[in-house]
Amino acid sequence: MLITVEGLDGAGKNTLTSALSETWRGRGLRVAKMAFPRYGQSVHADVAAESLRGDFDGRIAADPLGMALLFALDRYEAKGELEALLGAHDVVLCDRYVASNAAYGAARLGEDATGPFAAWVLAFEFGRLGLPKPDHQLLLATPPGLAAERARWRAASDPGRERDAYERDAPLQERVGAVYAGLAETGWAGPWRLIAPEADPAGLAAELL
């Protein structure tokens, strides 16, 4: 089973994936975790990160389609690993997956969840690239202001970590949140579940499996 956790920067995705993983492992289930983008593992992800921090004169980061291709190719590069994990585990948890590409790209272009960009991501990543579709997509419905505060605190507590252009752009984060909500409402790429910031991970784990 493939379960993805989506949400804004600072929404609490890593915290939730870790809590779900620990709960299921405590029940004897075989659980694997992945996180996208795979910074430090994929040249595509690293070029995207460098672009968002100002490299390449900002030309790559300025192109929503170019950035989406880099993130999509990062996932395609990991397709074999992901399929192997799915074959060997009861659950694979992904901290961000394909929906993040649709949400951020559409938000940058001023489109909503039913627009052409989200449709292109769906066709390209699940169709042309053949990535496995998730069984459950969990959207952390963390308010943008709270998510931004957490992202700032996370950056401040890690001297080696710099907030990228997406994280610093508060209006973009607001638009991304709206697109995510639309993706969940329309059932983009499969079933979704909205998760409140204060949700009990143990209860959620019991509901999902």
Side-chain angles (χ1 to χ4, degrees):
M1 178 177 288
L2 176 58
I3 299 177
T4 63
V5 180
E6 300 284 355
L8 300 175
D9 296 300
K13 298 179 295 299
N14 182 60
T15 300
L16 180 60
T17 55
S18 296
L20 291 174
S21 176
E22 290 175 10
T23 300
W24 285 326
R25 284 174 178 159
R27 289 168 43 190
L29 296 177
R30 298 166 300 169
V31 182
K33 294 194 300 180
M34 292 191 77
F36 293 100
R38 296 176 307 135
Y39 298 131
Q41 303 174 61
S42 161
V43 65
H44 299 103
D46 288 345
V47 169
E50 291 157 11
S51 302
L52 289 173
R53 291 182 171 88
D55 286 6
F56 312 104
D57 298 323
R59 287 176 293 179
I60 297 176
D63 181 1
L65 178 58
M67 292 297 292
L69 284 170
L70 287 171
F71 290 129
L73 291 172
D74 171 31
R75 278 182 285 276
Y76 183 64
E77 199 175 29
K79 179 182 174 183
E81 179 186 357
L82 178 57
E83 290 175 338
L85 290 173
L86 287 168
H89 295 79
D90 299 301
V91 184
V92 176
L93 275 166
C94 278
D95 179 339
R96 282 215 169 124
Y97 194 50
V98 178
S100 62
N101 230 1
Y104 276 81
R108 292 189 66 192
L109 291 168
E111 297 178 6
D112 62 19
T114 63
F117 191 86
W120 173 80
V121 171
L122 185 71
F124 183 70
E125 296 210 40
F126 293 120
R128 186 167 185 178
L129 299 185
L131 295 174
K133 279 192 174 183
D135 298 286
H136 294 286
Q137 299 174 93
L138 311 180
L139 175 58
L140 274 165
T142 307
L146 175 58
E149 181 180 342
R150 288 175 174 174
R152 286 192 296 269
W153 177 86
R154 184 177 61 193
S157 64
D158 183 357
R161 190 182 187 284
E162 178 186 353
R163 295 173 71 207
D164 65 34
Y166 287 176
E167 293 173 317
R168 296 193 305 269
D169 191 336
L172 173 63
Q173 293 290 321
E174 292 271 2
R175 297 195 302 274
V176 169
V179 177
Y180 263 134
L183 295 174
E185 184 178 354
T186 58
W188 188 91
W192 286 75
R193 183 187 290 252
L194 294 179
I195 310 299
E198 67 277 7
D200 173 30
L204 176 60
E207 291 175 16
L208 290 168
L209 291 175

